[in-house]
C-alpha cells in the first residue's frame, strides 16, 4: 500500500499505474516538500488513507545550479539546501510521531556517494553529507521506539538527473557522458540504474534488515571502495 508523492501529478500517476499492474494499492499526492504544510499534509493523508506509516522513502533532490565555491550564488545555495536537506527534515518530522506511536517504522533517505567523495561543486555534496548526519541522528534518537533510519548512497547512476543535466551543461553527447562515468566504476565498468537503488531500499525496508540502522550504505559498484 503506497502513497506516491511528487510535485508532478503525471509522473506520480505513471508510477502508480506500474505499481497497480504489480498488484499494489497505490494512491497519488501532489506536494512540494520545500513547504512544511505540504510535508504535514503528506503524513496526514497517508494515515487517513491507510491507517499507519511503515516506511518513509525520501527520494528528492537536485544538483542543478550548483557550482564551485567561489562561483556559487548564495540564493541558489539556499534553494538546493532547502530541497535536498530541509525537505527531508520536514518529512521526517511529520512522519516520526506516527511511527513513534506505532513503535515501529523505517526511514530511508537517499543521499549520494558525493557526500563522502570528491566533487567539483559544493552545495550538493554538502547537502548530502548533512543528510547522512541527520539520518544517523534520527536513527539513534528513535531507536528506543523501534524505528530504523538509513542513508542510501547511490554512485554513478544512469538517470535523467545525472545524464540530462550534464548533457545540457557541457554540450556532450549522452553516450559520451555515460561512457566517461562508466569508466570510473570498478564493478564491470558500468553505471548503475534506479533499480539498483530500489532493490537496496527494498531490502533495507524489509524485516530481513530488522537489525540494521544508522548506517550509510553505498550502492556504487565499488566506486567509494576504490581508494588505492
Amino acid at each position: 500500500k503506497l502513497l506516491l508523492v511528487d510535485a508532478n501529478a503525471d509522473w506520480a500517476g505513471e508510477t502508480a499505474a506500474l505499481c497497480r499492474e504489480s498488484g499494489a494499492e497505490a494512491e497519488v499526492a501532489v506536494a512540494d516538500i520545500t513547504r512544511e504544510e505540504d510535508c504535514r499534509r503528506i503524513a496526514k493523508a497517508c494515515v487517513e488513507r491507510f491507517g499507519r506509516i511503515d516506511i518513509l522513502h525520501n527520494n528528492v533532490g537536485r544538483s542543478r545550479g550548483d557550482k564551485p565555491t567561489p562561483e556559487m550564488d548564495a540564493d541558489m545555495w539556499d534553494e538546493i539546501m532547502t530541497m535536498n536537506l530541509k525537505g527531508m527534515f520536514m518529512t521526517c518530522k511529520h512522519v516520526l510521531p506516527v511511527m513513534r506511536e506505532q513503535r515501529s517504522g523505517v526511514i530511508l533517505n537517499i543521499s549520494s556517494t558525493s557526500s563522502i567523495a570528491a566533487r567539483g561543486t559544493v552545495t550538493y555534496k554538502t547537502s548530502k553529507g548533512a543528510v547522512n548526519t541527520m539520518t544517523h541522528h534520527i536513527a539513534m534518537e528513535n531507536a528506543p521506539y523501534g524505528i530504523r533510519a538509513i542513508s542510501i548512497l547511490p554512485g554513478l547512476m544512469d538517470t535523467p538527473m545525472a545524464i540530462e543535466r550534464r548533457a545540457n551543461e557541457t554540450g556532450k553527447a549522452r553516450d559520451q557522458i555515460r561512457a566517461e562515468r562508466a569508466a570510473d566504476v570498478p564493478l564491470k565498468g558500468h553505471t548503475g540504474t534506479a533499480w539498483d537503488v530500489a532493490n537496496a531500499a527494498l531490502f533495507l525496508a524489509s524485516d530481513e534488515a530488522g537489525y540494521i540502522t544508522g548506517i550509510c550504505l553505498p550502492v556504487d559498484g565499488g566506486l567509494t571502495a576504490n581508494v588505492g
Side-chain angles (χ1 to χ4, degrees):
K1 297 179 180 179
L2 305 167
L3 179 67
L4 304 173
V5 182
D6 203 302
N8 185 307
D10 291 338
W11 294 345
E14 289 178 14
T15 304
L18 292 171
C19 294
R20 290 170 189 141
E21 288 175 8
S22 299
E25 185 177 346
E27 302 290 338
V28 170
V30 177
D32 176 357
I33 68 158
T34 66
R35 299 179 66 251
E36 183 166 16
E37 182 52 42
D38 281 22
C39 296
R40 183 183 293 108
R41 182 168 51 81
I42 292 167
K44 182 180 178 182
C46 194
V47 171
E48 288 177 349
R49 182 65 185 85
F50 299 120
R52 57 188 295 116
I53 303 175
D54 294 301
I55 302 159
L56 171 63
H57 183 81
N58 267 321
N59 186 35
V60 178
R62 60 175 279 193
S63 57
R64 178 175 48 83
D66 205 358
K67 293 182 179 179
T69 307
E71 303 167 23
M72 187 63 198
D73 179 77
D75 289 339
M76 182 58 70
W77 165 282
D78 288 342
E79 259 188 56
I80 296 172
M81 292 294 284
T82 296
M83 177 173 286
N84 292 5
L85 178 61
K86 186 179 178 182
M88 285 196 185
F89 153 69
M90 292 190 295
T91 53
C92 291
K93 171 184 175 179
H94 290 290
V95 161
L96 277 168
V98 179
M99 292 183 171
R100 284 186 172 196
E101 188 170 345
Q102 296 169 176
R103 309 291 294 187
S104 67
V106 181
I107 294 174
L108 301 177
N109 291 329
I110 302 301
S111 178
S112 170
T113 52
S114 296
S115 65
I116 57 173
R119 185 175 177 86
T121 47
V122 64
T123 320
Y124 184 81
K125 175 180 175 61
T126 303
S127 68
K128 293 302 188 178
V131 166
N132 297 347
T133 303
M134 180 183 70
T135 306
H136 178 267
H137 173 84
I138 289 171
M140 297 300 96
E141 176 186 59
N142 293 280
Y145 298 92
I147 299 167
R148 300 188 291 115
I150 298 156
S151 295
I152 299 175
L153 282 56
L156 298 175
M157 297 293 167
D158 189 345
T159 62
M161 175 178 151
I163 304 302
E164 296 301 321
R165 180 180 69 78
R166 286 171 174 81
N168 291 333
E169 290 179 357
T170 66
K172 292 181 180 179
R174 288 161 180 77
D175 285 345
Q176 180 183 349
I177 293 169
R178 290 186 174 97
E180 290 173 352
R181 287 163 65 82
D184 290 333
V185 181
L187 187 62
K188 296 185 177 180
H190 70 79
T191 53
T193 72
W195 288 112
D196 294 312
V197 179
N199 288 329
L202 183 64
F203 166 68
L204 291 170
S206 73
D207 291 341
E208 282 77 8
Y211 204 54
I212 299 173
T213 193
I215 67 164
C216 297
L217 177 69
V219 181
D220 67 353
L223 182 71
T224 53
N226 189 27
V227 294

